[in-house]
Amino acid sequence: MINLRTHAYTIEQIRAIEQAAIQSGISESQLMDTAGQAAFDCMLTHFNDLKSIVVICGQGNNGGDAFVLARLAHQQNIKTHCYTLCENNQLPPAAKQAAISAERHGVSICQYHPTIDFNSYDLIIDGLLGIGIQGEVHSDIAAIIEHLNHSSAPKFALDCPSGINANTGTTKLAVNANATITFIADKIGLLTGDSLAYLGKLYTHHIG
């Protein structure tokens, strides 16, 4: 974990770092596995005595990180339910692989529906959007964020609370997280603006 916040980067710079890592021989799936493991370890450090978690997986690689966390939690006998927004074949390749692996290990994965009782879980994992949002969230995603925020269960955001612009820190609606783990390096938008009210405790992991 990085403790001193002396450098912050734009989304474009983070993407460039990711691509440089991939070009150096680290696969996208390896990066995802490392991020998911870091998130899982951080979750256990920050949230005590977890018996059950619910994992909300978006349609991008942030959802893939969440699938990895879900698999690891299930393997540690934490009751784990995943809710996704799309079929596996609509996911990017690495995220699809992570979803298939989670299913093969016995993780329950279902389509998201608005009647889910999030209050019945010890923790909600936000793997909806990550740093992928630049403008306002679409109405269907906004409804999910509001659903999450109406729950009294604590929330753990992966990379960035969904709804926050990681370049500017601005938002009109975002997941109100109790803790956030961001990957590779700090993003400018997580250290300024509206985001400070939504992050909870911020952890950073460089994922190698």
Side-chain angles (χ1 to χ4, degrees), residues 117 162 192:
D117 180 13
S162 293
T192 188

Side-chain angles (χ1 to χ4, degrees), residues 32-33 35-37 39-40 43 53-57 62-83 98-99 101-103 105-109 125 156 158:
M32 189 169 288
D33 284 343
Q37 181 71 62
F40 175 72
M43 178 186 78
I53 63 172
V54 58
V55 185
I56 311 301
C57 302
N62 191 241
D65 298 338
F67 283 122
V68 174
L69 181 150
R71 171 176 57 79
L72 295 170
H74 177 77
Q75 290 175 311
Q76 290 298 313
N77 297 316
I78 298 172
K79 183 180 178 183
T80 303
H81 287 152
C82 271
Y83 290 98
S101 177
E103 287 182 313
H105 283 84
V107 177
S108 170
I109 300 179
I125 307 299
F156 182 40
L158 305 188

